[in-house]
Amino acid sequence: QVQLVESGGGLVQPGGSLRLSCAASGSIFSISNMAWYRQAPGKQRELVAVITSGGLTNYAESVKGRFTISRDNAKKSVYLQMTSLKPEDTAVYYCMLRWLGETWGQGTQVTVSS
């Protein structure tokens, strides 16, 4: 059974940067598509970025040019580099693995505030 553990969240000032990490257990990471979602208070969960097993990426319009998703199959990890952070990026960020279903991490809080 796959488990995902996110890390790297925290409090950052507007304009700052953070790097989120998501470590997976199990043996299917390299053949799985991975994604980052986020959920702000009172809002629905939304897709932030996707990376396929082959390394293709796609981003929400709101984060294009500021966020970068990447993966390291040897480390069974996916990353989200976030730059030029804005208060509206404040949310709980979730890692998701898709392979014959979906597996979610527990989430990590990102707060952008001065």
Side-chain angles (χ1 to χ4, degrees):
Q1 184 174 353
V2 177
Q3 291 186 324
L4 302 174
V5 178
E6 299 102 333
S7 61
L11 173 64
V12 63
Q13 292 186 342
S17 299
L18 278 177
R19 187 190 192 215
L20 305 183
S21 299
C22 173
S25 64
S27 60
I28 61 171
F29 179 83
S30 64
I31 58 175
S32 301
N33 294 338
M34 302 296 299
W36 286 97
Y37 283 75
R38 67 186 181 186
Q39 187 167 19
K43 294 187 177 181
Q44 290 187 332
R45 192 172 295 189
E46 64 174 354
L47 178 65
V48 176
V50 176
I51 185 165
T52 68
S53 58
L56 297 177
T57 60
N58 198 14
Y59 298 90
E61 285 295 326
S62 60
V63 307
K64 278 184 179 178
R66 300 188 298 122
F67 291 10
T68 303
I69 188 171
S70 61
R71 65 190 296 160
D72 185 333
N73 288 339
K75 295 182 178 180
K76 298 182 183 178
S77 293
V78 63
Y79 308 99
L80 187 68
Q81 179 68 49
M82 305 185 293
T83 63
S84 302
L85 283 161
K86 304 175 182 180
E88 51 264 44
D89 295 318
T90 295
V92 178
Y93 283 71
Y94 297 91
C95 173
M96 190 271 284
L97 179 149
R98 181 174 291 125
W99 175 252
L100 300 180
E102 296 177 352
T103 301
W104 293 85
Q106 83 287 353
T108 185
Q109 176 71 47
V110 172
T111 302
V112 184
S113 175
S114 55

